[in-house]
Amino acid sequence: MRGQVLTVALVVACGIATYVTMRGAYQSVLQAQRDYYSRYRFADVFASLKRAPDSLKSNIAAIPGVASTQTRIVVEVNLDVPGLGEPALGRLISIPEDRAPILNDLHVVRGSYIEPNRRNDVLISEAFAKANRLSVGETIGAVINGRWEPLRITGIAISPEYVYEIRGAEVFPDNRRFGVIWMGRAALGPAFNMEGGFNDVAVSLAPGASEPEVISRLDTLLEPYGGLGAYGRYDQISNRFVSDEITQDRITGIFVPTIFLGIAAFLIHIVLSRLVKSQRGAIGLLKAFGYSNLSIAFHYLKFALVAVFLGTVIGAPLGVWLGRGLATMYQDFFRFPDLRFVSTFGMIGSAVLISAAAACLGALSALSSVVRLPAAEAMRPEAPARFRPGVAERLGLQRFFSLSARMILRDLERRPWRAAISLFALSLAGATLIVGFYFYDAIDYLIQVQFQNASREDVTVTLNEPHGSSASDALAQLPGVLRSEPFRVVAAKIRFENRSRRVAIIGLEARSQLRRIVDIREHAVELPPEGLVISSNLAKSLGVSSGDKVTVEVLEGERPVRDVEIAATVDDLIGTSAYMDISALNRFMREGQSISGAFMSVDALIASRLYSFLKRTPAVGGVAVREAMLASFRETIARSLGISVGALIGFACVIAFGVVYNGARINLSERSHELASLRVLGFTRGEIDWMLLGEQGLLAAASIPIGYLLGYAICAALVYSMQSELYRMPLVITERTFASAALIIGIASAFSGALILRRVHRLDLVAVLKARE
C-alpha cells in the first residue's frame, strides 16, 4: 500500500506546507511591522497644512494625549533621473542636519546620513534607488522652487511612513517614477520660503489617549494655517496596505490548508475503509481474544499517523522554503529593515497536530462501523452485496450502454457515498485551480477597466497649485499634445450625520473622453451638471444613497462648507472617489475657471520633447505616464502572482492525482478477482481497463462543472472577505480559466490512471483467481 500511503502523505504535505507558508508569512510581516513601528517611532496622527510658524509646535505638544510632536517641511518636485526619459516625482521631506531621534525615523540601508552645511546632500528611498539603479555618490536633478538643482545622494534609507511607497491616493507603486527624498531642514526651508515654519506635522499619542479627540483639537489648531485635516494611523496609506496584506494572509492561511487536510481525511477514510473491510475477520478474532476496541483502533490509527509523519517530513521543509521565497518577494513590496520568515517549532507543531487530527478523524470514521460489532458478528463474513438491475436497466436504457458501462454505473450506485465524496474531493481540486487562475482574470479585468476604459489619457500633468483658465490653454499648446482636458482636485471632508470621510473631489469636464467614470461592469457614468457622484464604497461608509444631502467641508483656500446632493453612486474598483462637474466645482469654490492639471493625449513621436520641457517647468508639480504606470503594475503583479498561482496549480494536481489514484487502487484491490475472471472469460484488456478506470473517469468528468460552481463560490467569498477601501477585486472568471482547470484535472487524472494500468497489466491471473479475500 506504499503508493496509497504516499499519495495521502503528499496531500497532507500540501496542507502543512500551505499552513506553514501562509501562517509564517502572516506572523513574519506582523512582527516586522510591530518591531519597525516601535523601534523607529512611527507616528499615530498625521496632518498637512499650508504654513504655520515653528512657535505653534508648543501648542500642538500641549494638546491632551500628545506624547511627542515632529514638525517638518514636505514638498513635491519634478526630478530628472539619469536613464529615465519622462520626469519623475520626488517627495522632499525635511530632516534635522544633526542625527537625532525623530518620529518616522530613518533606517540608513547604505551610505551615510547627511552632513551639516551640505545643502544639496540628500537621502533617497530604497525602492526608488533600486528601481532606477541609483547608488551612493550619484546625482539627480530637481526643480526646487523654480530652480534646477543637483542633489547628491549620500545614503539610501527607508522609513516606517513609507513601508509601501506610493504617491497620494494611488493604489499600485511606480517606484521608478516616484521616490521619497530626505533633505536637511536648513536647506529645504529657505528653498520654499519656509524658514521658521512648517507645513506637515506628525504626532505620537500617550497611552490611553483618545485619537479622535486629539485629531479634533489638532484640526482646530491648524485650521487658521490652512490645515488639510488630520488623520490617524489607520488612514495612513502605507500602513493601510500593509495591514490589509496581513489580514489577507491570515484568511488564506486558514482557508487553503483546510481544503487539503479535509481531503487527506477523506483519502485516509476510503483507504482504511477498504483495509478494515478486508480484515474484518481478523478484527473479530482479536476482539475474541480480549483486545479492546481502543487497542484495535489505535493499531489502524498508526496507518494514518504514518501518512501524517511522511507529510510532515515533506511539507514542513517545503513550507519553510516557500515561506522564505514569499518573504523575499514581500521585501520587494514592503520596505522593512529586517523581514525574515518566522518558522517556529510551535507553528510547525500546530500544523502537525491539525493534520493528525484530520487524519484521525478520517481513520475513526472508517473504523467506527467494525469496532462496534460483537466479536462473533465481526468474525462472520460480510453479507454479500445486494445485486439488482441498475439505473440504466430500470429505465429501459440498457441498449444505449455497453456491458462495461452498465457495470460501472451499477458500481457507482452500490457505493453512492464513496462516489459522492470522491466527486467532492475532485471538485475541490478544480475549485483550487479556479481560485488560482481567478487572480489573473481579476487583474486583467482591472487593467481593462482602469487603464483602458477609465484612464484613456497618455499623460497626466498636475500643477503645483491651482491656476486659472490661461493655464488650461498653455497646457493644450505644449509640444506633442493632441488633446487636453483640464481637471480640478479639491481636498475635502464629507459629513453625513455623525459620519465623515476625508476625500479628494475630482472635477472633470461633463463629456470628458480621456478620463471617464466607469463602473465595475464597464458602464461609463455621465456627470450631472450639479451634485456629487461618489463611489459605492464611500456611500456605504457614510451611510448615504442617491438623493441624500451631505455637508462638504473644503480643506483648502477659503474652506467653504456647503450642503451638496448625492446625484449618483458608482460601483468602481479603486479607492473612495468623489466626482463633480468641473464647472459646478468651480462655482462651489467660487474661484472662477480654476484647474489643478490636465489629462493629455500625446503624439508618441515627439513625446520626449514634451517630457524634457515638463522636467524643468516650475509650475508642474507632477507628471504621470499611463503606459509607464501600466508596465510597472504588470511587472509587480506578475512577480507576486507567479509564485502563488504556481503553488496552487501544483497542489491542485496533487489532490486530483491522490483522489483518482486511491480510488482506482481500491477498485483494483476489491475487484481484482472479478476483473481476472472477466479476462479469462474473454474480455479484452481494453474492456478491463475501461471497467476499472471508467468510474474514476466519470467522476473526474462530473467533478469539472461542480468544481466550476464551487470555485466561483470560493472566489465570491474571497472577494467579499478581502474588500477594502483601497481597492476591490472584481468577480470575473473567464472561459480560459475554466478550460485550463479542466485540462489540468484531466492530465492529473490520466497520469494517475496510467500508473494504475501498469499494475493491471502485470496482474498474475492464476494467482489472483486462487487468492481468497
Side-chain angles (χ1 to χ4, degrees):
M1 300 182 70
R2 59 183 177 275
Q4 292 169 271
V5 174
L6 182 59
T7 54
V8 175
L10 286 175
V11 176
V12 172
C14 291
I16 290 177
T18 309
Y19 180 87
V20 170
T21 299
M22 301 311 301
R23 189 71 185 177
Y26 162 69
Q27 292 182 350
S28 300
V29 178
L30 182 63
Q31 189 62 45
Q33 182 193 44
R34 287 174 176 171
D35 290 347
Y36 193 19
Y37 286 2
S38 175
R39 286 170 53 202
Y40 290 85
R41 296 169 289 280
F42 184 44
D44 296 298
V45 175
F46 305 81
S48 298
L49 57 146
K50 188 74 173 177
R51 188 186 188 280
D54 285 340
S55 58
L56 192 68
K57 181 177 179 179
S58 59
N59 294 6
I60 298 172
I63 294 174
V66 171
S68 60
T69 304
Q70 183 76 36
T71 59
R72 56 191 184 171
I73 302 165
V74 178
V75 291
E76 292 187 350
V77 299
N78 275 342
L79 301 177
D80 186 2
V81 180
L84 184 63
E86 55 269 23
L89 182 70
R91 181 169 294 165
L92 298 181
I93 302 176
S94 68
I95 53 175
E97 282 76 9
D98 295 314
R99 189 74 189 263
I102 58 174
L103 294 181
N104 306 317
D105 209 349
L106 302 183
H107 172 78
V108 179
V109 179
R110 289 188 298 279
S112 60
Y113 196 76
I114 60 172
E115 294 191 22
N117 304 319
R118 298 286 296 269
R119 61 184 302 271
N120 284 2
D121 281 3
V122 296
L123 297 166
I124 66 171
S125 59
E126 184 183 32
F128 183 63
K130 186 176 180 180
N132 289 286
R133 298 178 182 176
L134 297 172
S135 54
V136 174
E138 292 191 56
T139 300
I140 57 176
V143 179
I144 298 180
N145 203 21
R147 296 188 303 274
W148 190 89
E149 297 279 354
L151 303 178
R152 190 176 75 91
I153 302 169
T154 65
I156 295 169
I158 57 176
S159 164
E161 191 177 5
Y162 294 98
V163 174
Y164 187 74
E165 191 172 309
I166 58 174
R167 179 194 178 194
E170 293 175 356
V171 175
F172 307 107
D174 184 2
N175 297 130
R176 188 135 196 248
R177 296 161 188 84
F178 172 74
V180 181
I181 300 174
W182 293 275
M183 191 174 185
R185 183 157 184 169
L188 192 57
F192 288 93
N193 302 317
M194 283 280 180
E195 298 114 315
F198 63 92
N199 68 352
D200 196 89
V201 61
V203 169
S204 67
L205 301 180
S210 169
E211 182 186 278
E213 180 65 23
V214 171
I215 289 176
S216 175
R217 289 176 177 265
L218 186 59
D219 280 340
T220 302
L221 195 61
L222 297 180
E223 185 174 350
Y225 303 96
L228 298 179
Y231 55 93
R233 182 184 287 188
Y234 175 80
D235 290 317
Q236 203 269 341
I237 191 72
S238 169
N239 178 67
R240 282 291 300 278
F241 269 100
V242 178
S243 299
D244 284 349
E245 183 63 32
I246 290 171
T247 301
Q248 291 174 11
D249 282 347
R250 186 177 60 204
I251 293 170
T252 309
I254 294 171
F255 160 71
V256 178
T258 302
I259 292 178
F260 290 105
L261 298 180
I263 293 173
F266 155 69
L267 292 178
I268 289 171
H269 169 82
I270 61 173
V271 172
L272 283 184
S273 293
R274 189 264 161 187
L275 188 61
V276 167
K277 183 178 177 182
S278 66
Q279 297 180 0
R280 174 187 170 115
I283 292 173
L285 191 61
L286 289 171
K287 294 180 75 170
F289 275 99
Y291 284 87
S292 67
N293 289 342
L294 184 61
S295 61
I296 293 171
F298 183 66
H299 171 75
Y300 287 97
L301 278 177
K302 284 185 281 189
F303 177 94
L305 296 177
V306 165
V308 172
F309 173 76
L310 291 174
T312 302
V313 170
I314 299 170
L318 177 63
V320 172
W321 179 72
L322 289 172
R324 287 175 178 168
L326 190 60
T328 302
M329 185 188 74
Y330 274 152
Q331 192 63 34
D332 290 337
F333 289 98
F334 304 129
R335 300 290 165 170
F336 292 104
D338 187 22
L339 176 58
R340 290 177 295 176
F341 181 73
V342 177
S343 55
T344 63
F345 286 110
M347 182 175 61
I348 295 174
S350 298
V352 174
L353 287 176
I354 295 170
S355 303
C360 290
L361 180 64
L364 291 174
S365 63
L367 291 167
S368 60
S369 61
V370 174
V371 297
R372 288 200 304 262
L373 291 176
E377 181 68 22
M379 283 189 289
R380 280 187 196 165
E382 187 178 9
R386 181 183 175 188
F387 289 91
R388 59 175 182 170
V391 176
E393 288 85 355
R394 294 200 299 274
L395 295 176
L397 303 176
Q398 61 270 23
R399 65 181 179 277
F400 298 109
F401 296 95
S402 66
L403 178 61
S404 301
R406 295 203 300 271
M407 292 176 69
I408 291 170
L409 292 174
R410 280 198 295 268
D411 195 56
L412 288 171
E413 190 178 355
R414 279 166 46 201
R415 301 179 178 88
W417 282 111
R418 193 169 77 183
I421 297 174
S422 297
L423 182 63
F424 181 68
L426 283 168
S427 300
L428 282 176
T432 304
L433 289 168
I434 296 291
V435 172
F437 287 123
Y438 154 73
F439 288 103
Y440 280 119
D441 291 339
I443 293 303
D444 286 345
Y445 189 78
L446 183 63
I447 289 173
Q448 181 176 323
V449 172
Q450 199 63 30
F451 289 99
Q452 295 176 9
N453 288 340
S455 301
R456 305 163 77 182
E457 74 282 358
D458 296 317
V459 177
T460 301
V461 175
T462 305
L463 304 175
N464 52 18
E465 60 183 23
H467 285 66
S469 58
S470 59
S472 180
D473 297 333
L475 290 172
Q477 294 170 11
L478 290 176
V481 175
L482 303 176
R483 181 184 176 93
S484 177
E485 295 178 354
F487 64 87
R488 177 76 168 99
V489 179
V490 173
K493 184 181 289 186
I494 300 178
R495 294 200 309 267
F496 182 75
E497 296 177 348
N498 62 336
R499 302 177 184 177
S500 66
R501 296 297 297 167
R502 190 172 178 266
V503 299
I505 300 176
I506 304 172
L508 303 174
E509 289 189 335
R511 300 189 181 277
S512 175
Q513 296 299 312
L514 298 181
R515 177 60 65 91
R516 304 189 303 168
I517 305 170
V518 178
D519 66 14
I520 197 171
R521 288 173 289 278
E522 299 187 82
H523 297 150
V525 178
E526 289 192 8
L527 277 171
E530 298 291 340
L532 280 169
V533 175
I534 64 174
S535 65
S536 56
N537 214 36
L538 178 58
K540 183 179 178 181
S541 175
L542 291 170
V544 299
S545 58
S546 299
D548 289 336
K549 282 199 171 184
V550 296
T551 300
V552 176
E553 176 187 338
V554 175
L555 301 175
E556 62 179 65
E558 297 181 1
R559 305 175 74 95
V561 179
R562 299 187 182 92
D563 290 340
V564 180
E565 183 177 326
I566 302 296
T569 62
V570 55
D571 191 12
D572 57 3
L573 294 172
I574 293 179
T576 50
S577 308
Y579 303 94
M580 206 170 183
D581 182 280
I582 189 169
S583 299
L585 184 57
N586 289 152
R587 288 194 297 272
F588 179 91
M589 296 289 293
R590 296 177 182 171
E591 62 184 5
Q593 297 180 356
S594 181
I595 69 168
S596 301
F599 303 113
M600 298 175 176
S601 175
V602 175
D603 185 346
L605 296 177
I606 53 176
S608 58
R609 286 177 53 196
L610 174 65
Y611 298 149
S612 297
F613 180 83
L614 293 174
K615 281 181 181 181
R616 296 172 180 267
T617 303
V620 174
V623 177
V625 180
R626 183 176 64 99
E627 285 301 321
M629 292 173 61
L630 180 56
S632 175
F633 171 65
R634 287 188 185 276
E635 179 187 359
T636 301
I637 293 299
R639 280 187 300 159
S640 60
L641 283 185
I643 296 174
S644 57
V645 173
L648 281 176
I649 291 172
F651 291 168
C653 289
V654 169
I655 293 178
F657 175 81
V659 172
V660 173
Y661 181 83
N662 272 279
R665 281 286 286 116
I666 289 169
N667 263 354
L668 178 60
S669 299
E670 292 177 343
R671 302 176 63 188
S672 58
H673 190 280
E674 172 190 337
L675 296 174
S677 301
L678 292 172
R679 186 80 176 90
V680 170
L681 289 173
F683 280 76
T684 65
R685 180 175 290 179
E687 288 173 321
I688 297 300
D689 294 346
W690 168 237
M691 288 180 194
L692 178 64
L693 295 180
E695 178 179 331
Q696 301 304 315
L698 286 176
L699 290 174
S703 72
I704 291 173
I706 299 174
Y708 290 169
L709 296 175
L710 191 58
Y712 190 89
I714 293 171
C715 290
L718 285 174
V719 167
Y720 178 79
S721 62
M722 292 182 177
Q723 275 191 355
S724 70
E725 289 189 1
L726 299 174
Y727 62 92
R728 275 81 61 196
M729 296 293 284
L731 184 57
V732 177
I733 303 176
T734 64
E735 293 83 359
R736 179 188 60 190
T737 290
F738 291 132
S740 300
L743 180 63
I744 292 171
I745 293 294
I747 292 172
S749 301
F751 179 67
S752 58
L755 294 181
I756 294 296
L757 288 182
R758 289 182 59 199
R759 300 183 67 94
V760 175
H761 296 163
R762 289 192 304 216
L763 275 179
D764 185 340
L765 299 180
V766 175
V768 170
L769 291 173
K770 284 181 178 180
R772 293 183 59 192
E773 286 291 337

mmCIF file of all heavy atoms in Angstrom, residues 164 172-175 329 333 631-641:
data_model
loop_
_atom_site.group_PDB
_atom_site.id
_atom_site.type_symbol
_atom_site.label_atom_id
_atom_site.label_comp_id
_atom_site.label_asym_id
_atom_site.label_seq_id
_atom_site.Cartn_x
_atom_site.Cartn_y
_atom_site.Cartn_z
ATOM 1 N N TYR A 164 5.199 50.860 2.260
ATOM 2 C CA TYR A 164 4.651 50.665 0.914
ATOM 3 C C TYR A 164 4.655 52.029 0.264
ATOM 4 O O TYR A 164 3.898 52.919 0.658
ATOM 5 C CB TYR A 164 3.240 50.083 1.003
ATOM 6 C CG TYR A 164 2.635 49.677 -0.316
ATOM 7 C CD1 TYR A 164 3.058 48.529 -0.972
ATOM 8 C CD2 TYR A 164 1.623 50.424 -0.906
ATOM 9 C CE1 TYR A 164 2.489 48.144 -2.179
ATOM 10 C CE2 TYR A 164 1.043 50.044 -2.108
ATOM 11 C CZ TYR A 164 1.490 48.901 -2.741
ATOM 12 O OH TYR A 164 0.918 48.518 -3.940
ATOM 13 N N PHE A 172 -1.199 51.338 -6.804
ATOM 14 C CA PHE A 172 -0.085 50.490 -7.202
ATOM 15 C C PHE A 172 1.186 51.319 -7.279
ATOM 16 O O PHE A 172 1.181 52.441 -7.786
ATOM 17 C CB PHE A 172 -0.382 49.834 -8.555
ATOM 18 C CG PHE A 172 -1.694 49.109 -8.557
ATOM 19 C CD1 PHE A 172 -2.783 49.631 -9.234
ATOM 20 C CD2 PHE A 172 -1.843 47.927 -7.859
ATOM 21 C CE1 PHE A 172 -4.000 48.971 -9.223
ATOM 22 C CE2 PHE A 172 -3.058 47.271 -7.838
ATOM 23 C CZ PHE A 172 -4.135 47.778 -8.525
ATOM 24 N N PRO A 173 2.298 50.766 -6.795
ATOM 25 C CA PRO A 173 3.539 51.547 -6.764
ATOM 26 C C PRO A 173 4.158 51.686 -8.147
ATOM 27 O O PRO A 173 4.079 50.799 -8.986
ATOM 28 C CB PRO A 173 4.442 50.702 -5.841
ATOM 29 C CG PRO A 173 3.943 49.305 -5.986
ATOM 30 C CD PRO A 173 2.462 49.415 -6.215
ATOM 31 N N ASP A 174 4.781 52.829 -8.382
ATOM 32 C CA ASP A 174 5.611 53.050 -9.561
ATOM 33 C C ASP A 174 6.928 53.613 -9.037
ATOM 34 O O ASP A 174 7.163 54.825 -9.071
ATOM 35 C CB ASP A 174 4.924 54.005 -10.537
ATOM 36 C CG ASP A 174 5.716 54.175 -11.831
ATOM 37 O OD1 ASP A 174 6.765 53.519 -11.965
ATOM 38 O OD2 ASP A 174 5.302 54.965 -12.695
ATOM 39 N N ASN A 175 7.760 52.718 -8.521
ATOM 40 C CA ASN A 175 8.966 53.144 -7.821
ATOM 41 C C ASN A 175 9.990 53.792 -8.746
ATOM 42 O O ASN A 175 10.893 54.475 -8.272
ATOM 43 C CB ASN A 175 9.612 51.960 -7.105
ATOM 44 C CG ASN A 175 8.711 51.365 -6.028
ATOM 45 O OD1 ASN A 175 8.482 50.167 -5.977
ATOM 46 N ND2 ASN A 175 8.164 52.220 -5.173
ATOM 47 N N MET A 329 9.919 38.092 -1.624
ATOM 48 C CA MET A 329 9.035 38.863 -2.503
ATOM 49 C C MET A 329 8.409 40.029 -1.746
ATOM 50 O O MET A 329 8.314 41.150 -2.261
ATOM 51 C CB MET A 329 7.948 37.957 -3.063
ATOM 52 C CG MET A 329 7.040 38.625 -4.080
ATOM 53 S SD MET A 329 5.640 37.590 -4.524
ATOM 54 C CE MET A 329 4.640 37.745 -3.036
ATOM 55 N N PHE A 333 8.186 44.561 -2.011
ATOM 56 C CA PHE A 333 6.995 45.409 -1.947
ATOM 57 C C PHE A 333 7.005 46.276 -0.691
ATOM 58 O O PHE A 333 6.710 47.464 -0.743
ATOM 59 C CB PHE A 333 5.727 44.557 -1.940
ATOM 60 C CG PHE A 333 5.428 43.895 -3.244
ATOM 61 C CD1 PHE A 333 5.778 42.579 -3.466
ATOM 62 C CD2 PHE A 333 4.797 44.593 -4.265
ATOM 63 C CE1 PHE A 333 5.510 41.954 -4.669
ATOM 64 C CE2 PHE A 333 4.522 43.986 -5.477
ATOM 65 C CZ PHE A 333 4.883 42.661 -5.680
ATOM 66 N N ALA A 631 2.963 49.378 -17.223
ATOM 67 C CA ALA A 631 4.090 48.447 -17.290
ATOM 68 C C ALA A 631 4.601 48.109 -15.895
ATOM 69 O O ALA A 631 4.898 46.945 -15.586
ATOM 70 C CB ALA A 631 5.215 49.048 -18.138
ATOM 71 N N SER A 632 4.692 49.125 -15.037
ATOM 72 C CA SER A 632 5.134 48.884 -13.653
ATOM 73 C C SER A 632 4.146 48.006 -12.908
ATOM 74 O O SER A 632 4.524 47.093 -12.163
ATOM 75 C CB SER A 632 5.294 50.229 -12.934
ATOM 76 O OG SER A 632 5.594 50.035 -11.575
ATOM 77 N N PHE A 633 2.863 48.251 -13.141
ATOM 78 C CA PHE A 633 1.819 47.458 -12.494
ATOM 79 C C PHE A 633 1.894 45.998 -12.929
ATOM 80 O O PHE A 633 1.839 45.083 -12.124
ATOM 81 C CB PHE A 633 0.458 48.056 -12.846
ATOM 82 C CG PHE A 633 -0.715 47.225 -12.427
ATOM 83 C CD1 PHE A 633 -0.981 47.007 -11.094
ATOM 84 C CD2 PHE A 633 -1.550 46.651 -13.373
ATOM 85 C CE1 PHE A 633 -2.061 46.237 -10.705
ATOM 86 C CE2 PHE A 633 -2.635 45.891 -12.991
ATOM 87 C CZ PHE A 633 -2.886 45.681 -11.654
ATOM 88 N N ARG A 634 2.045 45.776 -14.237
ATOM 89 C CA ARG A 634 2.132 44.401 -14.746
ATOM 90 C C ARG A 634 3.347 43.680 -14.172
ATOM 91 O O ARG A 634 3.267 42.503 -13.806
ATOM 92 C CB ARG A 634 2.204 44.414 -16.271
ATOM 93 C CG ARG A 634 0.893 44.752 -16.966
ATOM 94 C CD ARG A 634 1.037 44.551 -18.469
ATOM 95 N NE ARG A 634 -0.135 44.976 -19.201
ATOM 96 C CZ ARG A 634 -1.215 44.215 -19.390
ATOM 97 N NH1 ARG A 634 -1.251 42.995 -18.867
ATOM 98 N NH2 ARG A 634 -2.234 44.662 -20.088
ATOM 99 N N GLU A 635 4.466 44.364 -14.093
ATOM 100 C CA GLU A 635 5.675 43.738 -13.572
ATOM 101 C C GLU A 635 5.501 43.359 -12.103
ATOM 102 O O GLU A 635 5.873 42.266 -11.666
ATOM 103 C CB GLU A 635 6.865 44.697 -13.725
ATOM 104 C CG GLU A 635 8.164 44.134 -13.194
ATOM 105 C CD GLU A 635 9.291 45.154 -13.208
ATOM 106 O OE1 GLU A 635 9.049 46.303 -13.649
ATOM 107 O OE2 GLU A 635 10.387 44.816 -12.768
ATOM 108 N N THR A 636 4.886 44.258 -11.352
ATOM 109 C CA THR A 636 4.668 43.999 -9.927
ATOM 110 C C THR A 636 3.740 42.820 -9.718
ATOM 111 O O THR A 636 4.027 41.910 -8.936
ATOM 112 C CB THR A 636 4.052 45.255 -9.264
ATOM 113 O OG1 THR A 636 4.937 46.352 -9.443
ATOM 114 C CG2 THR A 636 3.834 45.029 -7.783
ATOM 115 N N ILE A 637 2.626 42.793 -10.444
ATOM 116 C CA ILE A 637 1.642 41.739 -10.280
ATOM 117 C C ILE A 637 2.176 40.406 -10.785
ATOM 118 O O ILE A 637 1.944 39.357 -10.187
ATOM 119 C CB ILE A 637 0.343 42.114 -11.013
ATOM 120 C CG1 ILE A 637 -0.303 43.322 -10.324
ATOM 121 C CG2 ILE A 637 -0.623 40.953 -11.045
ATOM 122 C CD1 ILE A 637 -0.678 43.081 -8.875
ATOM 123 N N ALA A 638 2.910 40.423 -11.899
ATOM 124 C CA ALA A 638 3.413 39.179 -12.472
ATOM 125 C C ALA A 638 4.315 38.446 -11.484
ATOM 126 O O ALA A 638 4.244 37.224 -11.339
ATOM 127 C CB ALA A 638 4.175 39.475 -13.763
ATOM 128 N N ARG A 639 5.154 39.180 -10.782
ATOM 129 C CA ARG A 639 6.047 38.528 -9.816
ATOM 130 C C ARG A 639 5.282 37.922 -8.663
ATOM 131 O O ARG A 639 5.568 36.814 -8.217
ATOM 132 C CB ARG A 639 7.053 39.554 -9.276
ATOM 133 C CG ARG A 639 8.200 39.814 -10.224
ATOM 134 C CD ARG A 639 9.229 40.683 -9.559
ATOM 135 N NE ARG A 639 8.677 41.971 -9.167
ATOM 136 C CZ ARG A 639 9.204 42.760 -8.239
ATOM 137 N NH1 ARG A 639 10.268 42.379 -7.572
ATOM 138 N NH2 ARG A 639 8.653 43.918 -7.955
ATOM 139 N N SER A 640 4.298 38.641 -8.166
ATOM 140 C CA SER A 640 3.583 38.163 -6.984
ATOM 141 C C SER A 640 2.666 36.999 -7.328
ATOM 142 O O SER A 640 2.564 36.023 -6.571
ATOM 143 C CB SER A 640 2.776 39.295 -6.356
ATOM 144 O OG SER A 640 1.831 39.805 -7.273
ATOM 145 N N LEU A 641 1.985 37.065 -8.489
ATOM 146 C CA LEU A 641 1.047 36.002 -8.841
ATOM 147 C C LEU A 641 1.762 34.740 -9.297
ATOM 148 O O LEU A 641 1.244 33.633 -9.127
ATOM 149 C CB LEU A 641 0.110 36.481 -9.949
ATOM 150 C CG LEU A 641 -1.015 37.423 -9.545
ATOM 151 C CD1 LEU A 641 -1.911 37.710 -10.730
ATOM 152 C CD2 LEU A 641 -1.843 36.841 -8.411
#
